[in-house]
Amino acid sequence: MCGIVGYIGPQQASPIILDGLRRLEYRGYDSAGIATLEAGEIHTRRAEGKLINLESLLQQAPLTGSRGIGHTRWATHGRPSETNAHPHKAGDFVVVHNGIIENYLELKDELQAQGHTFRSETDTEVIAHLVEETAKQTAGLEAAVRQALARVRGAYAVAILSCCEPDTLVVAKLGSPLVVGKGEGEYFVASDIPAMLSHTREMVFLDDGEMAIFTPAAMRVTDLDGKERQKQSKTITWSPLMAEKGGYRHFMLKEIHEQPRALADTVAGRVVDDQSDVYLSGFELEQEDLEGIEKLFVVACGTSWHAGLVGKFMIEKLARIPVEVDIASEFRYRDPIVSDKTLTVLISQSGETADTLAALREARGKGGKAVAICNVVESSIARESDGVIYTHAGPEIGVASTKAFTTQLVALFLLALRLGRVRGTLMAQECQSLTGALLALPRQVEEALELDKACEEIARDYALASDFLYLGRGNQYPIALEGALKLKEISYIHAEGYPAGEMKHGPIALIDEQLPVVILAPDNDTYEKVVSNMEEVRARGGKVIAITTQTRQELKEKVDALLLLPDTIDELMPILTSIPLQLLAYHIAVHKGTDVDQPRNLAKSVTVE
């Protein structure tokens, strides 16, 4: 969740690190800091709040030096404050850290007994003091860090400098993301790729239990026992401009409007020429493995979990495999029944979500196969899975997921098609019809985006509401959940999503003249039933915002606001209905004046439990 940036090379480190931290703001943070090393001395600047506060501090008191580390902190241990902000220094050593040190209190008591004085409430400061203490008994920064980390229990990505070895930067990871960027006579480290894209596209992805030791001229990678490891760099195809706003007011709005391109890129090259099947590169399970699947788990968190709920409808209908959808933080603790005939699908935009990664290891540890759906090449979940279906959304900076969500739905649809074809539940002609609808989808999303102005007008009418209710049936119920989540995340309005048929089992008590109710009513088999639910809302004075297809314009006389979408097959309709919900949430948040791209208390990538 926190952001780490480090640099060693010929350039001044502070501007590079500050720029990298700015590109990691989407991860969520409450304070920030930078440390640089020059002429054998470490200097730090830290500030509570937004990066502009740190930037102002650096303008008043600049940092010089060509080695440095920086950090954006999202509070876990200790309140947000300048004192608790990273980097943390102990003697000749300075540290930034992402993760949670589970045994920090035990280590802190021991270090205090040895004479160490702590200045913060954080678990991270323990690492700095532990390295300082370990250095007294061993030779060199690398050995001191290795021995210190051997005593640490928990998750971490760390970057460490020492004024005793000014030409060395040491980083290590276990359970938290860390990526290395290779330049000409310089190296970059960061929690995520966008921090380094303006400097290099050659990336090395560290695995858990690995340490990298840098000088300006060279990099070595070892395990935590010191054994050398060979690592190959990967060329990242994302353009630096993909992580810029491109004239849009917010990243979220830009990413909403990027969905036609993102969906087309996710489909590209995956439909065979005659459209009778799909090809999933990176999906390395053998045909006999797929034929023998008796049960499928979909495991994810947040928005990705909502995608999984829609995926259940797709896979059960097209491949006729029973599907359970689990929240990742629950899956690992309920002792799930997994066998070699079980396939677990892990969904994560970042590929680093801590609970989803733990669920992956739980499933594989029980003998099951696992496939990842994620957006980041060489992320931890992608590397540890038996196969991966990459979405091609490009970097998603806004905390509230939009294009990552819809591309996940496309990936799940492709998976359902592949399973259906392999297992014989989907014939070639049926597949051609389904893939035809899929190929038409980007154009239809462009048409749905034309509702932007109408959504802004509706937002103006309802931005002051204190509560919202979202209703849908079948595969639209998860979209109701997603619509409610989007509104909660960025506007801070309380919202709930419900299956429309459950309205009479409690939520109907909330309906009055002040409650806006968003009803998803595409023209499908449940349309008449959803309209009946809508009439129940109207009878109690609720304000109805209906989303339906262009074939059902008669609803205009029965609702307070109507949004019409192009029609598609039922399996893909959730992608279209999600578009106006994203726009509605966005415009309400703008009217309320909230921080759309970085909503309070939220982080883009949840890399701690």
Side-chain angles (χ1 to χ4, degrees):
M1 298 169 77
C2 309
I4 288 175
V5 179
Y7 175 77
I8 183 168
Q11 303 184 64
Q12 286 293 304
S14 181
I16 293 171
I17 293 168
L18 186 63
D19 178 68
L21 294 178
R22 194 176 292 115
R23 295 171 189 273
L24 294 181
E25 282 190 290
Y26 64 89
R27 295 177 68 87
Y29 69 104
D30 49 56
S31 59
I34 293 177
T36 59
L37 197 160
E38 186 175 43
E41 293 189 9
I42 293 169
H43 301 280
T44 64
R45 302 286 185 269
R46 305 184 302 188
E48 183 182 351
K50 293 294 184 181
L51 271 174
I52 192 170
N53 299 334
L54 177 62
E55 192 170 358
S56 298
L57 185 60
L58 287 166
Q59 289 173 350
Q60 299 166 24
L63 286 176
T64 57
S66 58
R67 290 92 171 94
I69 53 179
H71 190 268
T72 49
R73 177 178 186 256
W74 193 86
T76 53
H77 295 80
R79 67 192 184 283
S81 68
E82 186 276 333
T83 303
N84 288 330
H86 298 210
H88 289 289
K89 188 173 181 292
D92 297 327
F93 304 91
V94 65
V95 176
V96 292
H97 161 239
N98 179 17
I100 292 177
I101 305 305
E102 295 171 0
N103 60 334
Y104 87 101
L105 287 175
E106 171 191 327
L107 293 170
K108 185 175 183 178
D109 288 344
E110 177 186 318
L111 289 162
Q112 285 176 323
Q114 292 170 332
H116 291 260
T117 300
F118 285 77
R119 296 174 176 80
S120 76
E121 304 166 279
T122 69
D123 56 339
T124 300
E125 192 180 354
V126 166
I127 300 174
H129 287 278
L130 190 59
V131 172
E132 182 191 24
E133 185 65 29
T134 305
K136 297 174 183 177
Q137 290 89 39
T138 189
L141 175 61
E142 178 184 344
V145 173
R146 182 172 287 114
Q147 290 186 30
L149 293 179
R151 300 202 56 204
V152 165
R153 188 170 66 249
Y156 57 78
V158 294
I160 304 172
L161 288 170
S162 170
C163 53
C164 299
E165 295 186 37
D167 285 332
T168 304
L169 168 64
V170 176
V171 304
K173 78 172 292 279
L174 184 69
S176 291
L178 202 61
V179 184
V180 175
K182 297 175 66 175
E184 292 292 331
E186 59 186 354
Y187 291 93
F188 309 82
V189 294
S191 298
D192 205 352
I193 293 168
M196 303 177 286
L197 272 180
S198 59
H199 302 284
T200 180
R201 294 191 192 181
E202 291 301 307
M203 307 289 178
V204 176
F205 296 86
L206 297 181
D207 290 309
D208 278 352
E210 289 186 337
M211 174 186 291
I213 304 95
F214 303 96
T215 65
M219 173 183 78
R220 288 189 301 110
V221 178
T222 74
D223 63 19
L224 293 180
D225 294 323
K227 183 178 179 182
E228 297 276 342
R229 290 195 174 177
Q230 299 300 313
K231 305 290 288 187
Q232 297 296 319
S233 62
K234 303 274 187 178
T235 301
I236 301 303
T237 58
W238 290 353
S239 161
L241 292 176
M242 294 176 74
E244 302 295 340
K245 288 183 184 176
Y248 286 90
R249 184 174 178 181
H250 296 97
F251 278 113
M252 182 180 178
L253 184 61
K254 172 178 177 274
E255 289 155 5
I256 289 172
H257 283 271
E258 284 178 336
Q259 287 175 110
R261 189 274 309 159
L263 296 171
D265 286 352
T266 300
V267 175
R270 287 172 163 167
V271 177
V272 301
D273 290 342
D274 68 357
Q275 299 183 21
S276 64
D277 204 344
V278 296
Y279 171 70
L280 301 179
S281 58
F283 190 85
E284 297 171 358
L285 296 182
E286 299 295 333
Q287 180 160 330
E288 54 265 31
D289 292 326
L290 300 180
E291 290 173 339
I293 294 170
E294 295 179 351
K295 185 177 183 180
L296 195 145
F297 288 107
V298 178
V299 183
C301 300
T303 284
S304 296
W305 180 67
H306 296 157
L309 292 172
V310 177
K312 173 184 172 73
F313 285 89
M314 296 174 176
I315 294 167
E316 289 192 338
K317 181 175 181 179
L318 301 180
R320 307 309 296 162
I321 305 172
V323 178
E324 288 188 32
V325 185
D326 273 76
I327 293 173
S329 57
E330 296 294 325
F331 180 83
R332 64 179 296 202
Y333 292 113
R334 70 173 182 86
D335 193 19
I337 301 171
V338 177
S339 73
D340 60 358
K341 297 187 182 300
T342 302
L343 178 64
T344 302
V345 179
L346 296 307
I347 310 175
S348 168
Q349 186 281 139
S350 68
E352 301 291 349
T353 310
D355 287 314
T356 309
L357 182 57
L360 163 64
R361 291 167 177 166
E362 175 78 10
R364 295 195 75 208
K366 289 177 175 288
K369 298 289 186 181
V371 170
I373 293 175
C374 69
N375 191 42
V376 180
V377 175
E378 290 294 306
S379 58
S380 296
I381 291 172
R383 291 200 306 273
E384 293 191 27
S385 296
D386 297 296
V388 58
I389 304 171
Y390 284 115
T391 56
H392 295 291
E396 187 177 69
I397 307 302
V399 166
S401 182
T402 52
K403 63 178 181 174
F405 173 67
T406 52
T407 54
Q408 286 169 355
L409 293 180
V410 164
L412 285 161
F413 185 67
L414 289 167
L415 175 60
L417 292 176
R418 185 73 193 114
L419 290 171
R421 291 295 284 132
V422 167
R423 294 168 60 83
T425 59
L426 189 62
M427 298 298 103
Q429 189 173 354
E430 296 172 284
C431 190
Q432 287 171 334
S433 175
L434 294 167
T435 54
L438 179 63
L439 293 171
L441 188 65
R443 176 184 51 78
Q444 292 179 309
V445 171
E446 287 181 352
E447 189 176 342
L449 287 167
E450 294 174 6
L451 295 171
D452 192 2
K453 196 68 178 176
C455 290
E456 186 176 6
E457 292 172 1
I458 295 169
R460 191 179 300 115
D461 292 337
Y462 295 102
L464 298 180
S466 58
D467 301 277
F468 266 74
L469 184 62
Y470 289 71
L471 300 176
R473 283 181 182 258
N475 62 8
Q476 294 299 322
Y477 159 54
I479 304 305
L481 292 175
E482 175 63 11
L485 177 62
K486 283 290 146 300
L487 189 67
K488 284 184 279 194
E489 284 179 317
I490 61 173
S491 75
Y492 315 144
I493 294 173
H494 172 253
E496 297 292 340
Y498 267 89
E502 283 289 292
M503 186 179 65
K504 292 190 287 293
H505 297 272
I508 199 167
L510 299 173
I511 297 173
D512 60 19
E513 294 82 359
Q514 306 303 314
L515 183 71
V517 182
V518 180
I519 297 180
L520 302 170
D523 190 358
N524 59 21
D525 291 345
T526 63
Y527 173 79
E528 299 295 342
K529 292 186 179 299
V530 175
V531 170
S532 294
N533 297 133
M534 186 187 72
E535 295 289 1
E536 292 167 341
V537 172
R538 293 181 65 215
R540 287 155 181 82
K543 304 298 183 183
V544 176
I545 303 166
I547 297 172
T548 188
T549 39
Q550 292 162 354
T551 53
R552 291 294 185 175
Q553 299 199 35
E554 71 270 13
L555 280 186
K556 187 174 183 179
E557 306 303 320
K558 299 182 178 182
V559 300
D560 298 277
L562 182 66
L563 297 168
L564 296 172
L565 292 166
D567 200 7
T568 185
I569 59 173
D570 188 56
E571 290 84 359
L572 296 177
M573 198 68 212
I575 295 174
L576 292 179
T577 53
S578 68
I579 304 298
L581 300 188
Q582 295 170 356
L583 291 168
L584 183 62
Y586 170 78
H587 287 299
I588 289 176
V590 169
H591 278 289
K592 287 176 65 68
T594 61
D595 192 341
V596 172
D597 286 333
Q598 299 169 42
R600 68 189 183 201
N601 303 331
L602 293 178
K604 182 67 177 175
S605 302
V606 183
T607 56
V608 296
E609 288 188 56

